[in-house]
Amino acid sequence: MISKIRSSLYAKVFLTTTAMLLCVSLLVFSLLAWLMPQTYSNRLNTVLDERVQRFVSELEQVAFPNSGGLFDQLLQDMEINSVELYNGKGEFVPLPTEQYAEARDGNTAYIEQTQINELRKTVPLLSGSYHFSFSDSNERYMLIVYGAAEQIGELQQSFIRVFPFILLIVLAVAFIVSWLYSCMLTKPVLEISRISEKMSDLQLNWMVDEQRTDELGTLGKSLNRLSHNLSVTLSDLQNANKKLEADIEHEKKLEQARINFFSAVSHELKTPVTIIKGQLEGMLLGIGAYKDREKYLNRSLEIANTLETMVQEILTISRLETAGADFKKDCLDCVQIIKSYLSETEDLIAGKDLQIDLDAPPAALIAGNKLLMEKVFSNLIGNAIKYSPQEASIYISVHTEHRQIEFSVENTGAHIPENSIPKLFDAFYRVEQSRSRKTGGSGLGLYIVQEILHQHGSECTVCNTQAGVRFSFTISSSTHKSQTNPTGITKRGDMIWAY
């Protein structure tokens, strides 16, 4: 029980308030029970003293034998209980009253001292002593007057009688006031305590009542602002953590991609180096067919050229990763880039008797790096030319719509296995290893194309069509004023385009 009281603020405030109210009420009641009779007694003493002072003044003007009438008048006063008279020797002197002359002649007092003592035991008395002399004598007398004080006793008895009722009323009022006071004081404190427990558990979906205007209301408003700020901060922190986790995961993937890339690079470089080394050793030692040095020197040169191309592409990839999106961008006409590359490969196109169909507007402007975008178009169109069979058709399309330029190139007469399509843009991946090596492919062309397009906010896609394979991507246009015109189909092996 005691431990529960110690752990409860409400119980502490309630019991403390009740005890304080009881103590104050009992103290006030005790003071009233003591001060009111005292005050009333002092008032009676004052009245009695004034009357007796006037009586003594009258006694000093008459002789002792003639003072009986004055004493009779004094004894008839309802507030006078009894009177005693003593001579200068301290001997009791019977009162010279006319009403009780027989008692006086018998030298007996009207009221015996024993009777007075008994009266004092039953009735509260107020007493006062006065010294005076009668007019016929110089002897000093002492007059003791006892005043009736029954009202004081009745007042004291009244306080004693009403004490149980007053105590019950005080207890009831103390409990009610303590309950109201405890609720008013502890309710907001308990609410704040409950909220603080939620805050410690980072539960911020609460709101303190802001109707109060006192200090507790100010504290509640401050807690509401604190909750809002903490909620916003935690939300920002969680978002930042999620972003950081995503960045870390992205970095891990990039790191793993770099590891895989360089592992593949080491493997791809090892093969041509080993071939060149074997051919050179065979020629130096004059072993078998390697005695024909001119033949194997040409082969070594071809492998060295392939190796050089591979190294240049690896350097291109390295620059892309280093530069990020900070490379210089210009306004480029992709149609002119395509035409320039077709002009450069005119001999190869004519040699394979390919038909080039270019569907493009007079100009299509994009924002990008000139060298990198030239590499994109040359790789995609070059692959179409390189892997197309004799007398095949290649369809190149450039369309502008909604400030977007869509480029596609489709070569006929060849298809890519469906299970190889998702891997086409991986580094060093070749659909047919022997065929790719024969055509001089390094397996990095499409990987570089995808990386460059990613730097320009685009992505290349590939799919098989009924006639062949189609590569395409969409990139933002730097202007939307170009117009698409109908195209003509060139003759086989020619480099003439009609619009």
Side-chain angles (χ1 to χ4, degrees):
M1 184 66 179
I2 297 176
S3 60
K4 290 183 178 180
I5 293 175
R6 289 180 177 177
S7 61
S8 174
L9 177 63
Y10 178 85
K12 290 179 182 178
V13 174
F14 179 80
L15 293 177
T16 302
T17 306
T18 303
M20 291 175 62
L21 289 175
L22 287 175
C23 292
V24 171
S25 300
L26 293 177
L27 179 61
V28 171
F29 183 82
S30 300
L31 289 175
L32 289 175
W34 178 69
L35 289 177
M36 288 187 67
Q38 289 292 328
T39 303
Y40 189 65
S41 176
N42 292 335
R43 190 184 69 81
L44 292 178
N45 276 331
T46 301
V47 173
L48 180 63
D49 183 68
E50 292 176 355
R51 292 182 180 179
V52 175
Q53 287 287 354
R54 290 195 300 268
F55 175 70
V56 169
S57 298
E58 293 175 355
L59 287 178
E60 289 179 344
Q61 297 176 5
V62 298
F64 177 75
N66 301 325
S67 61
L70 296 175
F71 279 104
D72 288 338
Q73 292 179 3
L74 181 64
L75 290 173
Q76 290 177 0
D77 194 335
M78 296 300 295
E79 295 183 359
I80 303 300
N81 188 279
S82 62
V83 178
E84 297 179 1
L85 183 62
Y86 295 89
N87 59 20
K89 297 180 181 180
E91 297 174 349
F92 179 78
V93 178
L95 298 179
T97 61
E98 296 177 357
Q99 186 177 0
Y100 302 102
E102 182 180 355
R104 185 181 67 244
D105 293 342
N107 294 326
T108 59
Y110 168 64
I111 299 179
E112 295 293 340
Q113 185 68 33
T114 54
Q115 293 177 332
I116 295 174
N117 292 335
E118 291 296 330
L119 187 63
R120 290 175 183 172
K121 294 179 181 179
T122 57
V123 179
L125 300 175
L126 299 173
S127 62
S129 59
Y130 303 89
H131 297 272
F132 68 97
S133 298
F134 289 99
S135 60
D136 61 345
S137 173
N138 291 328
E139 185 177 4
R140 300 290 292 176
Y141 288 87
M142 183 178 66
L143 179 67
I144 300 177
V145 180
Y146 295 95
E150 293 89 347
Q151 296 88 340
I152 298 176
E154 291 178 359
L155 186 60
Q156 292 175 343
Q157 292 299 321
S158 298
F159 273 103
I160 294 174
R161 286 193 298 270
V162 301
F163 177 74
F165 302 100
I166 296 295
L167 182 60
L168 290 176
I169 294 173
V170 167
L171 284 173
V173 173
F175 277 111
I176 293 173
V177 173
S178 299
W179 177 73
L180 293 175
Y181 177 75
S182 301
C183 290
M184 181 183 68
L185 184 64
T186 61
K187 183 178 179 181
V189 176
L190 294 176
E191 178 68 13
I192 292 173
S193 176
R194 181 181 62 83
I195 287 173
S196 64
E197 291 181 358
K198 289 186 176 181
M199 290 179 64
S200 63
D201 296 333
L202 296 180
Q203 299 178 14
L204 304 177
N205 54 341
W206 48 263
M207 186 65 66
V208 180
D209 186 11
E210 296 185 356
Q211 295 181 355
R212 298 177 67 104
T213 57
D214 53 9
E215 288 80 0
L216 291 175
T218 303
L219 178 59
K221 294 178 182 178
S222 300
L223 287 175
N224 287 339
R225 289 195 299 270
L226 178 61
S227 170
H228 175 72
N229 294 336
L230 282 177
S231 179
V232 172
T233 303
L234 287 176
S235 178
D236 293 341
L237 183 60
Q238 289 174 353
N239 293 333
N241 286 338
K242 290 180 180 179
K243 184 177 179 181
L244 181 60
E245 290 177 357
D247 292 341
I248 292 174
E249 187 65 24
H250 181 65
E251 287 296 327
K252 288 182 178 179
K253 291 181 179 179
L254 289 179
E255 185 63 25
Q256 186 61 41
R258 291 189 187 99
I259 294 173
N260 295 337
F261 177 77
F262 285 108
S263 176
V265 166
S266 62
H267 175 75
E268 292 294 329
L269 292 178
K270 182 179 179 181
T271 301
V273 170
T274 302
I275 294 175
I276 293 175
K277 182 180 178 181
Q279 290 178 347
L280 291 176
E281 288 180 351
M283 286 185 288
L284 289 173
L285 296 175
I287 301 174
Y290 290 103
K291 293 180 180 179
D292 188 356
R293 294 188 177 186
E294 183 176 353
K295 174 183 176 182
Y296 285 99
L297 282 175
N298 289 328
R299 289 184 179 181
S300 297
L301 179 60
E302 291 177 0
I303 297 174
N305 291 332
T306 302
L307 187 60
E308 180 184 11
T309 302
M310 188 183 299
V311 170
Q312 289 176 352
E313 292 179 343
I314 292 172
L315 290 176
T316 302
I317 295 172
S318 177
R319 293 192 189 100
L320 283 174
E321 293 180 349
T322 304
D326 297 332
F327 50 78
K328 181 181 177 181
K329 290 184 178 180
D330 299 313
C331 184
L332 310 175
D333 184 359
C334 60
V335 175
Q336 294 301 320
I337 294 175
I338 295 170
K339 289 180 179 180
S340 297
Y341 181 74
L342 290 175
S343 297
E344 294 174 1
T345 56
E346 183 177 358
D347 293 340
L348 181 59
I349 294 172
K352 299 182 72 172
D353 197 16
L354 299 177
Q355 178 179 315
I356 307 297
D357 182 1
L358 176 61
D359 180 12
L365 302 180
I366 61 173
N369 184 272
K370 186 174 185 298
L371 294 177
L372 295 180
M373 290 307 299
E374 286 178 349
K375 197 168 191 65
V376 169
F377 290 112
S378 63
N379 267 292
L380 294 178
I381 298 174
N383 283 343
I385 295 173
K386 191 180 300 181
Y387 296 114
S388 293
Q390 292 288 331
E391 300 182 357
S393 298
I394 298 176
Y395 300 95
I396 302 174
S397 172
V398 178
H399 291 289
T400 302
E401 186 176 0
H402 302 300
R403 298 187 181 182
Q404 297 286 325
I405 293 179
E406 182 181 359
F407 168 82
S408 67
V409 55
E410 179 181 357
N411 61 303
T412 60
H415 288 89
I416 298 176
E418 291 295 331
N419 59 347
S420 297
I421 289 179
K423 305 176 184 178
L424 279 181
F425 298 100
D426 294 345
F428 299 107
Y429 181 79
R430 301 179 180 86
V431 178
E432 298 180 20
Q433 296 290 334
S434 60
R435 181 181 177 185
S436 296
R437 294 190 186 279
K438 183 178 180 181
T439 55
S442 64
L444 291 175
L446 292 179
Y447 176 80
I448 293 174
V449 167
Q450 195 70 291
E451 289 297 317
I452 293 174
L453 290 177
H454 284 167
Q455 298 292 349
H456 287 76
S458 180
E459 185 175 13
C460 185
T461 59
V462 59
C463 64
N464 286 318
T465 63
Q466 291 182 353
V469 180
R470 181 174 182 268
F471 287 83
S472 63
F473 66 87
T474 301
I475 192 169
S476 298
S477 172
S478 62
T479 179
H480 56 281
K481 294 181 179 180
S482 60
Q483 299 177 351
T484 303
N485 296 327
T487 65
I489 300 177
T490 67
K491 295 183 294 182
R492 292 183 182 274
D494 294 336
M495 301 305 298
I496 302 173
W497 299 276
Y499 300 97

